């Protein structure tokens, strides 16, 4: 009799967990029959099953009125067929570049090309390859100093009022104008190859890439900060400072300044430093362009 | 007594070969990029997916968004369905994940007004006859359950999933599903006065 009770209790423990599945009609035949036999002799399990059956019926009836809405497949299909975020971003970028190409001062394109051509001719005539790394950054700085701001853009207020963020507009113009200047300089370097062996091309590019990043970035930042005329003058002045020789100065001052001037010249000769510093200045310029609108409003008040 | 014990237990979706075969054909068509297959998938499972999404979000508009997102996810990642389990369980797993994600992003909590917009319950004639106070209590008890516990009951009793499938849909261990079931049982038992049971004991 005790054995029978123990068996019953063991069965009960194992089977009580299966009651929800039994009530949901999910048990396969051998197990279902076993539970049926147990239910016949176990009133507590019968009460438990009653609860689960009531839960099942209540859960099902709660969902009985739900109707799947029409048109969801069509809407999902539209979204599937819509261009991806990347495609949309590419389209937007190209349309922004295209629209800004018209808004940049037009004389910039031919004047940069003419200045660059003059530089190449001088380089060829003087037979001095290093000249490329001097005139290219100066041309690039002059053009970048005049791409943004109320002094250069007649429609500046309109530009600032468009929904496109001003830093995006500045970035688009920067890409166009600086990309154009870089291409011109690359062309100049290729022409200069008539004078030097081809394996020196990379060295030549490195010699102008640093100043060509830093100087225009500096001019752009200053132009946003002050005004174009001043900014180019200051940038050129800073660039020219590297050619100052301390021995032109009185003895005690020369001794004091020599390490500083040496470090300064070192800076202008290291492409990596110039490129990194230039990128930092560009980021600052993009940040400053966002504040241009507030400044304009303040000035007008 | 709420339900006649001699009545046959409610039969969930039969897991027959024909259903599996239909699902496999559907999946193959989706993989092949058949546009009409999406419509067929929705015709077969849309109602279940929408009901589950509504249950989890408590809001019909949000449930529509969830199901729409689910269809997009299904179209893009149908190749990930290896046919190891039932298609319905895989689909409900996506709905579950997206519904919880959309709940996390919703700034407003579910208000009692939103709860009231849940679909009207349409009881069968027999049930109408048994509209007792206990049935009301059970309903209230179900509504008081947490989302996790209610989800398990939905998946077992309405969607007809087995416990392993429920665990996969909710992304929890099997033991958690079992403990959620027994917690739901305790909670409902405490709400109801199961006099029959007490008498037996």
């Amino acid at each position: 009799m005790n054995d029978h009770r123990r068996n019953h209790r063991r069965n009960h423990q194992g089977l009580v967990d299966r009651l929800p599945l039994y009530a949901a009609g999910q048990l396969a035949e051998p197990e279902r029959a076993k539970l049926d036999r147990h239910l016949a002799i176990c009133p507590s399990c019968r009460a438990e099953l009653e609860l689960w059956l009531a839960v099942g019926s209540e859960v099902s009836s709660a969902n009985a009125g739900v109707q799947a809405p029409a048109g969801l497949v069509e809407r999902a299909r539209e979204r599937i067929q819509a261009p991806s975020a990347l495609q949309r971003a590419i389209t937007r970028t190209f349309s922004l570049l295209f629209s800004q190409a018209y808004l940049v001062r037009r004389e910039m394109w031919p004047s940069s090309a003419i200045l660059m051509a003059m530089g190449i001719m001088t380089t060829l005539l003087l037979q001095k390859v290093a000249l490329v790394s001097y005139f290219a950054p100066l041309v690039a700085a002059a053009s970048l100093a005049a791409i943004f701001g109320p002094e250069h853009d007649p429609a500046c207020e309109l530009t600032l009022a468009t929904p496109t963020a001003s830093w995006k507009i500045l970035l688009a113009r920067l890409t166009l104008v600086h990309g154009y200047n870089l291409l011109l300089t690359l062309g100049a370097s290729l022409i200069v190859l008539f004078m030097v062996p081809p394996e020196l091309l990379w060295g030549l590019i490195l010699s102008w890439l640093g100043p060509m990043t830093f100087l225009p970035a500096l001019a752009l930042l200053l132009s946003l900060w002050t005004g174009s005329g001043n900014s180019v003058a200051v940038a050129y002045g800073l660039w020219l400072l590297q050619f100052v020789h301390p021995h032109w100065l009185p003895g005690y001052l020369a001794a004091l300044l020599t390490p500083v001037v040496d470090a300064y010249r070192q800076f202008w000769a290291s492409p990596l430093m110039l490129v990194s510093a230039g990128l930092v200045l560009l980021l600052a310029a993009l940040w400053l362009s966002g504040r241009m609108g507030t400044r304009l409003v303040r000035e007008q008040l | 007594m709420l339900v006649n014990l001699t009545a046959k237990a409610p039969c969930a979706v039969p897991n027959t070969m024909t259903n599996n075969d239909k699902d496999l054909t559907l999946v193959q068509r989706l993989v092949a990029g058949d546009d009409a297959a999406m419509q067929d998938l929705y015709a077969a499972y849309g109602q279940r997916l929408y009901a589950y999404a509504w249950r989890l979000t408590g809001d019909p508009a949000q449930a529509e968004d969830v199901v729409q997102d689910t269809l997009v996810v299904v179209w893009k990642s149908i190749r990930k369905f290896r046919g190891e389990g039932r298609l319905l369980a895989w689909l409900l797993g996506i709905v579950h994940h997206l519904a919880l994600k959309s709940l996390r992003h919703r700034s407003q909590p579910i208000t009692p007004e939103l709860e009231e917009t849940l679909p009207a319950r349409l009881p069968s004639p027999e049930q109408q006859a048994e509209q007792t106070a206990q049935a009301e209590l059970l309903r209230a008890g179900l509504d008081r359950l947490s989302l996790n516990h209610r989800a398990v009951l939905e998946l077992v009793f309405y969607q007809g999933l087995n416990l392993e499938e429920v665990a996969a849909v909710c992304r929890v261990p099997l033991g958690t599903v079992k403990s959620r079931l027994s917690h739901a049982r305790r909670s409902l038992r405490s709400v109801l006065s199961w006099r029959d049971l007490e008498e037996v004991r």
Side-chain angles (χ1 to χ4, degrees):
Chain A
M1 190 59 194
N2 276 345
D3 276 359
H4 178 71
R5 231 178 244 162
R6 251 201 310 277
N7 264 342
H8 174 81
R9 206 175 301 133
R10 205 180 304 132
N11 260 340
H12 177 84
Q13 284 307 325
L15 292 174
V16 78
D17 283 347
R18 309 298 285 167
L19 284 172
L21 295 177
Y22 179 93
Q26 291 199 34
L27 289 190
E29 201 33 74
E31 200 180 1
R32 198 183 159 89
K34 192 178 169 193
L35 245 168
D36 276 335
R37 284 196 298 278
H38 176 76
L39 281 165
I41 54 163
C42 180
S44 133
C45 275
R46 276 205 299 277
E48 185 86 17
L49 177 64
E50 189 189 325
L51 169 68
W52 284 125
L53 286 171
V55 168
S57 131
E58 186 51 42
V59 166
S60 299
S61 71
N63 286 307
V66 179
Q67 281 298 320
L72 273 190
V73 176
E74 286 71 21
R75 272 186 272 158
R77 193 176 290 144
E78 272 169 29
R79 272 182 47 199
I80 291 162
Q81 284 161 355
S84 70
L86 183 68
Q87 283 170 315
R88 279 203 306 276
I90 290 172
T91 320
R92 264 206 312 272
T93 307
F94 271 103
S95 69
L96 184 63
L97 286 177
F98 199 67
S99 66
Q100 293 305 317
Y102 283 101
L103 292 174
V104 174
R105 288 169 76 166
R106 292 212 186 118
E107 61 270 28
M108 191 177 286
W109 310 111
S111 55
S112 285
I114 290 167
L115 285 173
M116 207 66 88
M118 284 163 68
I120 296 167
M121 278 198 283
T122 320
T123 310
L124 291 176
L125 286 174
L126 295 179
Q127 296 282 309
K128 279 201 169 201
V129 181
L131 274 182
V132 175
S133 62
Y134 296 143
F135 68 78
L138 297 179
V139 173
S143 52
L144 278 205
I147 59 166
F148 202 77
E151 296 86 357
H152 327 292
D153 184 358
C156 181
E157 285 181 38
L158 200 65
T159 306
L160 291 171
T162 51
T164 311
S166 33
W167 70 266
K168 283 186 192 165
I169 293 176
L170 177 59
L171 190 63
R173 292 182 185 181
L174 195 64
T175 310
L176 286 168
V177 175
H178 204 53
Y180 175 69
N181 286 331
L182 283 174
L183 279 179
L184 283 179
T185 318
L186 200 63
S189 309
L190 290 174
I191 292 172
V192 167
L193 278 189
F194 284 119
M195 288 162 50
V196 293
E199 55 268 28
L200 287 183
L201 179 65
W202 180 235
L204 185 61
I205 291 175
L206 266 188
S207 75
W208 55 255
L209 193 64
M212 185 100 182
T213 313
F214 182 74
L215 197 64
L218 183 67
L220 174 67
L221 184 64
L222 289 171
S223 86
L224 293 180
W225 198 6
T226 56
S228 147
N230 300 337
S231 72
V232 180
V234 174
Y236 281 11
L238 286 172
W239 178 75
L240 279 173
L241 262 185
Q242 64 175 311
F243 303 109
V244 170
H245 278 279
H247 59 77
W248 298 342
L249 300 164
Y252 66 96
L253 212 57
L256 199 69
L257 283 180
T258 305
V260 180
V261 172
D262 278 351
Y264 191 65
R265 197 174 300 138
Q266 202 79 49
F267 170 72
W268 281 96
S270 59
L272 193 68
M273 284 256 269
L274 286 169
V275 169
S276 350
L279 291 177
V280 171
L281 293 184
L282 285 180
L283 284 178
L286 289 174
W287 175 76
L288 206 60
S289 72
R291 302 173 59 89
M292 183 79 88
T294 353
R295 206 184 77 190
L296 277 185
V297 171
R298 224 181 14 243
E299 278 169 8
Q300 280 172 5
L301 281 176
Chain B
M1 221 184 225
L2 273 175
V3 179
N4 184 3
L5 265 185
T6 53
K8 214 180 158 215
C11 210
V13 193
N15 192 7
T16 58
M17 271 309 284
T18 37
N19 261 347
N20 273 345
D21 287 348
K22 268 186 211 161
D23 284 351
L24 277 180
T25 322
L26 205 51
V27 170
Q28 280 163 0
R29 284 171 58 206
L30 284 169
V31 169
D34 179 355
D35 225 21
M38 191 65 105
Q39 199 73 54
D40 293 346
L41 178 89
Y42 189 67
Y45 294 114
Q47 199 265 341
R48 283 167 178 281
L49 303 184
Y50 179 66
Y52 189 56
W54 191 341
R55 180 63 57 201
L56 292 185
T57 58
D59 174 29
Q62 209 177 352
E64 274 193 33
D65 290 345
V66 167
V67 175
Q68 197 184 316
D69 290 350
T70 303
L71 292 176
V72 174
V73 169
V74 166
W75 182 259
K76 286 184 178 165
S77 56
I78 186 68
R79 280 164 206 279
K80 287 187 193 157
F81 177 71
R82 302 258 170 242
E84 283 150 1
R86 272 193 292 164
L87 181 60
L88 173 65
W90 188 70
L91 296 171
L92 284 170
I94 299 173
V95 172
H96 187 91
H97 176 69
L98 292 176
L100 293 196
K101 202 167 112 185
S102 118
L103 276 180
R104 275 197 297 274
H105 290 178
R106 184 167 63 183
S107 47
Q108 288 175 305
I110 303 176
T111 58
E113 293 79 61
L114 273 178
E115 289 276 28
E116 276 164 23
T117 61
L118 283 173
R121 295 168 172 89
L122 300 177
S124 65
E126 297 96 303
Q127 285 170 325
Q128 269 172 342
E130 292 170 350
Q131 283 284 340
T132 60
Q134 278 198 330
E136 290 292 338
L137 278 175
L138 179 60
R139 204 165 293 160
L142 281 170
D143 288 343
R144 268 180 45 186
L145 287 178
S146 81
L147 197 63
N148 282 335
H149 296 103
R150 184 64 200 259
V152 171
L153 296 185
E154 288 293 320
L155 292 170
V156 170
F157 289 102
Y158 181 64
Q159 307 286 356
L161 302 194
N162 61 41
L163 299 190
E164 287 78 10
E165 287 172 322
V166 174
V169 166
C170 300
R171 299 187 186 178
V172 293
L174 184 60
T176 308
V177 175
K178 287 180 181 168
S179 75
R180 281 181 186 173
L181 261 182
S182 79
H183 176 274
R185 181 184 61 93
R186 274 198 309 277
S187 168
L188 292 172
R189 169 84 42 84
S190 72
V191 170
L192 299 165
S193 55
W194 289 93
R195 272 163 300 165
D196 311 61
L197 186 73
E198 295 309 315
E199 280 165 19
V200 169
R201 281 186 173 166

